Amino acid sequence: AQSVTQLDSQVPVFEEAPVELRCNYSSSVSVYLFWYVQYPNQGLQLLLKYLSGSTLVKGINGFEAEFNKSQTSFHLRKPSVHISDTAEYFCAVSEGFSASKIIFGSGTRLSIRP
Amino acid sequence: EAQVTQNPRYLITVTGKKLTVTCSQNMNHEYMSWYRQDPGLGLRQIYYSMNVEVTDKGDVPEGYKVSRKEKRNFPLILESPSPNQTSLYFCASSYRQGPAAVDEQYFGPGTRLTVT
């Protein structure tokens, strides 16, 4: 069965510093991977997705993620964060080759300090 | 405008009083899903639907019912709400990648439910 682990529940960083939010998954088949962002008091919106092809995926707001099949990871990165990036970030996985559902990680709260 | 709508946005009710949260999407998506979000637990899937008249349980289906009579609508029904169902609920829809997995999900604005 598929599962998603976000190792850090909270990540505090200073403004303009780089950040990496970690995501590991377990699945026995090919997967589709997603990162969603939830700003305070809002719903979720897609940051980026990996379906196939290049393992380095670029998303909105300067975020990118790299799919690493051997390490079953899909870490999210940004080279320089801004105060407006303060939000909760969710990694999600959907299994291929099946009529599947999507599993979300427990979320990582990113707080940016000026 | 492509969107997922939920109603009501806020609801306070009492234990045992049946309620329905509606969800509608205008993107002709096959896949729809309901989640609940609780602090420290992220999003947990309640039910999902791959198409009209096709629904299946997610990870936390107890105490909930759904139906999919039309492609655009996917209501969530709580026949006898209890305080442990106090939560933030999200509906989402998605395009399917052929017979296989689903693509990105589009989320509604959320419904905050309090059961006293």
Side-chain angles (χ1 to χ4, degrees), chain A:
Chain A
Q2 57 184 329
S3 66
V4 179
T5 302
Q6 291 183 244
L7 295 165
D8 306 300
S9 60
Q10 294 190 59
V11 173
V13 295
F14 287 105
E15 194 172 15
E16 298 184 6
V19 69
E20 177 180 83
L21 306 184
R22 296 181 292 170
C23 173
N24 287 90
Y25 68 93
S26 66
S27 175
S28 57
V29 298
S30 296
V31 294
Y32 296 174
L33 295 156
F34 308 87
W35 275 100
Y36 289 85
V37 59
Q38 184 180 33
Y39 297 106
N41 300 313
Q42 294 187 28
L44 281 75
Q45 57 182 277
L46 183 74
L47 264 183
L48 49 79
K49 62 183 178 182
Y50 171 79
L51 302 182
S52 65
S54 172
T55 56
L56 182 63
V57 181
K58 293 190 184 297
I60 62 171
N61 301 339
F63 283 93
E64 64 180 33
E66 185 156 21
F67 170 55
N68 188 319
K69 189 174 182 179
S70 62
Q71 297 189 8
T72 60
S73 68
F74 190 55
H75 300 333
L76 181 70
R77 301 184 183 99
K78 186 170 183 178
S80 176
V81 295
H82 189 267
I83 289 284
S84 59
D85 294 322
T86 298
E88 190 155 21
Y89 293 80
F90 294 94
C91 182
V93 60
S94 165
E95 285 187 337
F97 307 117
S98 66
S100 67
K101 56 183 184 177
I102 297 182
I103 299 291
F104 283 80
S106 56
T108 297
R109 190 170 298 277
L110 178 63
S111 58
I112 313 296
R113 300 169 177 173

Side-chain angles (χ1 to χ4, degrees), chain B residues 66-77:
Chain B
V66 293
S67 68
R68 187 94 180 270
K69 293 183 170 55
E70 305 166 280
K71 199 171 187 179
R72 63 182 294 125
N73 296 323
F74 191 45
L76 179 70
I77 303 157

